Amino acid sequence: QEQAISNVQTNDVSIVKSLIDIYVKLGQWQNAVGVWKQANSSLQSDVLSSPDVFAKLRMWDKAEPLYKTNYQQTHSFESFRGMIESLSSLAKWPRLIEYMDNFKNLELQQKKKVSIFFAEAAINLGKWDDLSNILEYAPDDMWMFNVLLALNALHKKEYDKIKDIITKSFSLLASKP
């Protein structure tokens, strides 16, 4: 009988996660959070209290400490990325920039995945030297990076470079559906 109850809960959790995914994809965050709250109070499952579920629901204040603990224990990149995204979403720039040495030790592809969060922290803290270093790993296809590149060029009084960045940004925007 315990196994039957466990199977029902596993199925219920799966259904709840699917509902949350559907609401998130539709951009209906309040409904997704409502489903989570209702299910969390009636189901006893740690799955609904995972950092990935909290991140999906944009519950960054709940996700960040879980990602941090996981990162401290495993040093996995996914935990690091989740923690950094959480800190960025919570605008905890000083805490985020404390991980700059960790950022510098990442592989190139990993740097590209988290560079936007470090770039936002650097610009919000006025750390222009760090911003210049971070922007070296910026993906070319993100308009936000082009904005940061332009701001950095403006700070350095590289006005010719700004014009090129703006032209590139308009081309990027025009190529998006």
Side-chain angles (χ1 to χ4, degrees):
Q1 185 176 3
E2 284 182 28
Q3 187 175 3
I5 292 171
S6 177
N7 286 342
V8 169
Q9 278 198 331
T10 302
N11 290 339
D12 289 347
V13 169
S14 176
I15 291 168
V16 168
K17 287 180 77 175
S18 294
L19 274 172
I20 289 171
D21 286 342
I22 290 167
Y23 280 128
V24 166
K25 286 177 184 171
L26 292 173
Q28 297 182 5
W29 302 103
Q30 292 171 332
N31 289 337
V33 171
V35 167
W36 175 82
K37 283 181 180 178
Q38 184 67 35
N40 201 39
S41 65
S42 61
L43 297 175
Q44 280 130 21
S45 173
D46 291 337
V47 175
L48 295 176
S49 296
S50 73
D52 294 334
V53 171
F54 289 138
K56 192 176 292 185
L57 294 171
R58 298 182 180 176
M59 297 174 136
W60 302 112
D61 56 327
K62 293 182 184 296
E64 187 266 328
L66 297 174
Y67 278 127
K68 182 178 180 178
T69 299
N70 195 0
Y71 176 66
Q72 289 171 337
Q73 293 171 352
T74 65
H75 297 287
S76 76
F77 175 71
E78 288 309 313
S79 296
F80 180 74
R81 189 206 52 76
M83 177 183 65
I84 295 303
E85 183 178 7
S86 298
L87 290 171
S88 177
S89 296
L90 294 167
K92 293 186 177 181
W93 311 123
R95 285 196 40 217
L96 191 154
I97 212 74
E98 288 174 8
Y99 291 96
M100 190 65 185
D101 287 339
N102 299 66
F103 173 79
K104 290 176 183 176
N105 293 326
L106 294 174
E107 295 174 14
L108 178 62
Q109 290 303 321
Q110 293 172 331
K111 285 179 183 175
K112 287 185 176 204
K113 290 180 181 179
V114 295
S115 56
I116 186 67
F117 307 121
F118 282 93
E120 287 176 329
I123 201 158
N124 278 290
L125 295 172
K127 294 185 174 275
W128 295 99
D129 291 337
D130 284 341
L131 181 63
S132 293
N133 293 330
I134 294 164
L135 290 174
E136 290 177 25
Y137 305 102
D140 291 339
D141 61 346
M142 288 184 69
W143 68 270
M144 184 60 169
F145 271 117
N146 287 313
V147 170
L148 295 173
L149 282 168
L151 288 172
N152 196 41
L154 183 63
H155 175 75
K156 293 178 175 182
K157 298 180 180 166
E158 297 173 342
Y159 302 115
D160 291 338
K161 193 174 181 180
I162 295 171
K163 183 180 176 185
D164 293 338
I165 294 168
I166 290 171
T167 302
K168 180 181 166 187
S169 298
F170 278 125
S171 296
L172 178 65
L173 290 173
S175 69
K176 299 282 181 183

